[in-house]
């Protein structure tokens, strides 16, 4: 039934008030819970680029004064960040925060808009609430406070897997290739394309990564030689593996025995994890569910990477949003809807709570094993249980088609995602 102008205005005013109140609550929460890192990582990038461009030094020789931290990204990342060397420090902060916020809003919109349209939610209100909640999410606020590039990389990959690939674009793969050239870990999405037999996109991604890497090598031969022969292999530049912020499988193993972590045990866990991941993304690809494949690969990247700091866990955000998507697609008041929405809420609350830091100084004992690795357990749960939706992929990344009766345990979920 159509609503009168008065009711529409009243609803808009109420929704606007809700957003204002929520924003104030989140701002209060951040003032209390957010750790001020002083844009530490951005400071490393800024210092390294200035040392390289303005002081005549080598970019990989730079270490932030008083620390062991230096520029750890490939030379193409230095090329992308090069304009930073000509900005003031405060201008660099403004550019970093603005770019991170803009791409975060876009990715959240791409993932949530199908839910809003299907559920009849006001679309601007849905986005505003989601952005407020994302601002409180610990990995997101850590990304902003460190001045990290995580959301920019996630955006580049999302362009491919949420927009270009479902539309059959010949440009699909460029974003993944660029992300891999900036930071090596998104290279797992090239493997994702190979495992799911997206051959053209895989070739495009590989070619883009190779071309940009060669371009950087041609422009900066000394820096490229230093990175690929020395800096890449210097693990001491990234920090302590057993530190509680390292929420990867490698971090779990390292915390079991910080002095002598088992490399063989870690590799065995990685192998099992990759097998599960390959099976699940093949099922997602067969179902035409590119969004879930995207989310699952982001999760597995965090699990198998030797170092996954808490701020890297922005890659879990798509999985949490898709839990909400699948929950809202289930019949109203059904057990499935309740379970999926509850799982999304619990995962979000834990990943917003800083709970792992309770074991920062002492992660021994059963409580340290369970609590100190809490974000790893959430990642594993998403990898194994995130539902896969059957249907025909649409150009906007949504799914359309009849529900599938295939049980969740087989890698599929009995619901569709209509446009």
């Amino acid at each position: 039934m159509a609503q009168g102008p008065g009711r529409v205005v009243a609803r808009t005013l109420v929704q606007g008030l809700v957003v204002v109140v929520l924003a104030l609550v989140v701002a209060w929460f951040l003032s209390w819970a957010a750790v001020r890192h002083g844009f530490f990582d951005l400071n490393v990038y800024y210092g390294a680029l200035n040392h390289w461009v303005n002081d005549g030094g080598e970019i990989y020789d730079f270490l932030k004064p008083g620390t062991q931290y230096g520029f750890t990204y490939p030379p193409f990342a230095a090329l992308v960040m090069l304009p930073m060397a000509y900005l003031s420090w405060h201008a660099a902060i403004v550019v970093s925060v603005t770019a991170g916020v803009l791409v975060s809003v876009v990715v959240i919109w791409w993932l949530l808009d199908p839910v809003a349209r299907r559920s009849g939610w006001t679309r601007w209100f849905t986005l505003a609430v989601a952005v407020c909640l994302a601002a409180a999410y610990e990995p997101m606020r850590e990304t902003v406070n460190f001045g990290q590039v995580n959301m920019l990389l996630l955006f580049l990959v999302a362009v491919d897997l949420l927009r270009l690939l479902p539309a059959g674009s010949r440009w699909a793969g460029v974003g993944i290739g660029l992300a891999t050239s900036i930071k090596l870990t998104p290279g797992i999405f090239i493997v994702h394309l190979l495992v799911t037999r997206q051959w053209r996109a895989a070739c495009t991604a590989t070619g883009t990564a190779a071309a940009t890497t060669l371009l950087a090598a041609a422009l900066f031969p000394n820096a490229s030689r230093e990175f690929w022969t020395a800096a890449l292999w210097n693990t001491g530049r990234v920090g302590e593996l057993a530190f509680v912020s390292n929420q990867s499988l490698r971090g779990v193993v390292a915390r079991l025995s910080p002095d002598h972590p088992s490399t063989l045990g870690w590799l065995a866990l990685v192998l099992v994890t990759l097998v599960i991941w390959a099976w699940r993304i093949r099922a997602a690809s067969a179902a035409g569910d590119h969004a879930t494949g995207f989310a699952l690969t982001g999760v597995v990247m965090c699990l198998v990477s030797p170092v996954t700091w808490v701020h890297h866990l922005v890659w879990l955000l798509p999985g949490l949003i898709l839990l909400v998507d699948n929950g809202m697609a289930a019949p109203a008041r059904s057990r499935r809807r309740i379970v999926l929405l509850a799982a999304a809420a619990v995962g979000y609350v834990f990943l917003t709570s800083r709970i792992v830091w309770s074991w920062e100084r002492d992660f021994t004992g059963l409580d340290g094993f369970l609590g100190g690795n809490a974000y790893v357990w959430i990642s594993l749960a998403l990898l194994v249980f995130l539902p896969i939706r059957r249907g025909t992929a649409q150009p906007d990344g949504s799914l359309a088609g009849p529900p599938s009766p295939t049980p969740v345990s087989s890698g599929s979920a009995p619901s569709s995602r209509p446009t």
Side-chain angles (χ1 to χ4, degrees):
M1 178 182 296
Q3 296 183 348
R7 293 192 64 181
V8 172
V9 171
R11 185 181 68 173
T12 301
L13 289 174
V14 170
Q15 290 174 335
L17 180 62
V18 169
V19 170
V20 170
V21 171
L22 180 60
L24 291 173
V25 170
V26 169
W28 168 82
F29 173 76
L30 292 176
S31 71
W32 168 72
V35 177
R36 274 41 170 203
H37 298 293
F39 298 97
F40 184 94
D41 290 0
L42 182 65
N43 205 336
V44 172
Y45 312 151
Y46 188 79
L49 288 163
N50 274 281
H51 175 74
W52 185 38
V53 174
N54 298 322
D55 299 337
E58 288 294 340
I59 191 168
Y60 295 108
D61 291 341
F62 174 85
L63 294 178
K64 189 177 186 297
T67 76
Q68 64 188 14
Y69 297 103
F71 195 83
T72 58
Y73 296 163
F76 182 72
L79 176 61
V80 172
M81 297 181 188
L82 195 59
M84 194 185 302
Y86 303 97
L87 298 176
S88 69
W89 169 237
H90 290 97
I93 293 174
V94 170
V95 171
S96 172
V97 173
T98 302
V101 169
L102 288 177
V103 298
S104 299
V105 170
V106 171
V107 172
I108 292 170
W109 176 249
W110 285 345
L111 290 166
L112 266 183
D113 188 48
V115 191
R117 287 187 284 115
R118 184 181 61 240
S119 303
W121 298 342
T122 306
R123 295 163 75 184
W124 73 263
F125 177 67
T126 301
L127 178 63
V129 169
V131 169
C132 287
L133 295 177
Y137 182 65
E138 184 182 358
M140 185 72 77
R141 63 182 193 249
E142 290 280 286
T143 284
V144 173
N145 283 325
F146 272 114
Q148 261 284 343
V149 299
N150 304 309
M151 286 306 300
L152 297 173
L153 300 178
L154 193 153
F155 169 76
L156 287 172
V157 175
V159 168
D160 278 343
L161 295 185
L162 298 184
R163 314 307 287 185
L164 299 182
L165 196 62
S169 171
R170 63 178 180 177
W171 297 103
V174 170
I176 291 172
L178 290 173
T180 303
S181 300
I182 294 170
K183 188 174 182 179
L184 298 180
T185 48
I188 194 169
F189 284 93
I190 298 179
V191 183
H192 166 107
L193 295 173
L194 293 171
V195 170
T196 57
R197 300 179 181 178
Q198 309 286 341
W199 306 121
R200 185 173 67 179
C203 290
T204 301
T206 304
T208 301
T212 49
T213 299
L214 290 174
L215 172 64
L219 295 174
F220 316 124
N222 291 336
S224 295
R225 186 182 308 110
E226 175 70 14
F227 176 78
W228 295 107
T229 62
L232 175 61
W233 314 104
N234 184 359
T235 57
R237 296 167 64 94
V238 298
E240 175 59 44
L241 291 175
F243 184 40
V244 75
S245 182
N246 185 13
Q247 291 291 304
S248 68
L249 293 172
R250 185 62 161 153
V252 173
V253 173
R255 283 186 286 276
L256 289 174
S257 179
D259 294 329
H260 304 287
S262 172
T263 300
L264 184 61
W266 169 59
L267 291 175
L269 289 174
V270 166
L271 179 60
V272 172
T273 302
L274 289 175
V275 168
I276 295 171
W277 164 71
W279 166 61
R280 298 224 68 210
I281 64 169
R282 286 288 298 274
S285 179
D289 190 353
H290 296 291
T292 298
F294 164 57
L296 290 171
T297 303
V299 169
V300 86
M301 181 178 70
C302 293
L303 286 169
V304 305
S305 174
V307 175
T308 298
W309 303 134
V310 167
H311 56 77
H312 294 145
L313 296 176
V314 294
W315 290 94
L316 302 190
L317 194 57
L320 295 177
I321 293 175
L322 289 175
L323 281 178
V324 175
D325 188 345
N326 281 276
M328 293 306 300
R333 295 183 295 277
S334 66
R335 178 178 297 180
R336 176 181 175 80
R337 173 175 286 196
I338 293 171
V339 168
L340 290 173
L341 294 182
V346 169
Y348 171 80
V349 168
F350 270 92
L351 284 161
T352 302
S353 67
R354 284 184 56 83
I355 189 171
V356 298
W357 298 99
S358 301
W359 291 272
E360 179 180 4
R361 300 186 183 278
D362 182 9
F363 40 72
T364 59
L366 181 60
D367 64 317
F369 178 72
L370 296 176
N373 300 307
Y375 300 167
V376 179
W377 311 140
I378 294 172
S379 299
L380 287 169
L382 285 171
L383 177 64
V384 176
F385 297 112
L386 183 64
I388 292 170
R389 309 273 291 282
R390 288 196 177 277
T392 303
Q394 303 298 300
D396 66 351
S398 64
L399 294 180
S404 166
T406 310
V408 173
S409 60
S410 68
S412 301
S415 57
S416 63
R417 186 197 235 166
T419 56

